[in-house]
Amino acid sequence: MTKTETRTVDALLDAYGRTYAEDAGIRLQNTPQPLYQLLVLSCLLSARIRASVALAAARALFDAGMRGPRAMADATWQQRVDALGEGGYRRYDERTATQLGDGARLLLDTYRGDLRGLRREADGDVRRLAELLQRVPGLGPAGAAIFLREVQGVWPEAAPYVDAKVVQGAGRVDLPKDPSRLARLVREPQLPPFTAALVRCALDKGVAEEVREHARA
């Protein structure tokens, strides 16, 4: 790793080295409730809406008691709409409220509400993991990628997970665009915050410029 790359990685982790799960108040571990909360967050973040709004909507859902699939399924459609609206998620609130209810019921019926069952079904195959995740209503390729980027810290078989959005961010701060080279710039436990920081660079040119300035300082 070059000195410039070292300074850039340090700047990324110092300024933006936090996962989206952390920002949503999720203490991610390999247990049913935080994994489900990450799934909900991934659904919300994958829509064409600001990340800050998706994070606020996730926190509003969890604060309203919808922290697990049973609670989400038992909530009324209007309760889900109201929580999403409280978080500012109004553009997609009605459709998303339906998808969250349907997705919770799917998880309860298929995996008894425990995403570790989905993990076992994938049997270490990351591509299969992505396919299974996309069976959840409202979770397409972008949402599955968000989930896998964040969960690689507790599901080691998903690591290193470096997708196109991460590579895009890397290009903006002059880091390698090769996924394997990029992953080797940090230790494995740092991959979730590192990839989240690069996604922030991909989504916001101002963030990328700030990181480059810090790396040059």
Side-chain angles (χ1 to χ4, degrees), residues 21 26-30 34-35 38 150-154:
I26 301 168
R27 295 184 177 182
L28 190 58
Q29 52 189 320
N30 188 34
L35 289 171
L38 176 60
E150 298 268 323
V151 86
Q152 63 182 316
V154 294

Side-chain angles (χ1 to χ4, degrees), residues 6-194:
T6 299
R7 289 196 296 267
T8 300
V9 170
D10 288 345
L12 280 163
L13 292 174
D14 288 346
Y16 297 102
R18 62 190 184 279
T19 65
Y20 284 96
E22 288 173 323
D23 281 351
I26 301 168
R27 295 184 177 182
L28 190 58
Q29 52 189 320
N30 188 34
T31 55
Q33 184 166 289
L35 289 171
Y36 175 71
Q37 291 173 355
L38 176 60
L39 187 75
V40 169
L41 177 63
S42 300
C43 288
L44 298 176
L45 283 168
S46 64
R48 294 175 181 269
I49 201 163
R50 293 194 311 276
S52 60
V53 173
L55 289 164
R59 288 191 292 266
L61 285 165
F62 304 151
D63 288 345
M66 290 169 258
R67 301 183 185 93
R70 174 56 64 191
M72 186 69 76
D74 288 347
T76 66
W77 177 82
Q78 190 60 55
Q79 286 172 327
R80 294 192 292 269
V81 168
D82 290 346
L84 290 166
E86 183 179 334
Y89 205 89
R90 295 184 179 88
R91 184 177 175 186
Y92 303 103
D93 56 352
E94 296 186 358
R95 183 183 67 182
T96 302
T98 299
Q99 291 172 336
L100 289 172
D102 291 345
R105 284 184 285 272
L106 174 70
L107 290 178
L108 289 166
D109 292 343
T110 309
Y111 303 111
R112 298 183 179 180
D114 188 345
L115 279 163
R116 292 175 300 180
L118 181 148
R119 181 190 186 188
R120 286 191 293 271
E121 186 175 341
D123 195 25
D125 185 333
V126 179
R127 186 174 298 179
R128 180 65 174 154
L129 261 178
E131 291 172 353
L132 292 171
L133 286 166
Q134 289 175 65
R135 292 181 179 177
V136 177
L139 198 77
I146 293 166
F147 184 92
L148 291 169
R149 282 198 304 264
E150 298 268 323
V151 86
Q152 63 182 316
V154 294
W155 287 2
E157 71 274 20
Y161 193 85
V162 178
D163 65 313
K165 187 63 72 175
V166 175
V167 170
Q168 180 186 349
R172 287 191 169 177
V173 292
D174 304 319
L175 288 179
K177 294 183 181 180
D178 177 73
S180 59
R181 284 188 61 201
L182 196 56
R184 288 197 296 270
L185 294 178
V186 296
R187 292 178 291 106
E188 192 166 295
Q190 294 176 304
L191 280 168
F194 179 58

Side-chain angles (χ1 to χ4, degrees), residues 191-213:
L191 280 168
F194 179 58
T195 54
L198 288 172
V199 168
R200 289 183 169 91
C201 292
L203 296 176
D204 188 334
K205 291 181 180 179
V207 169
E209 181 56 35
E210 180 185 335
V211 168
R212 286 198 301 272
E213 287 179 2

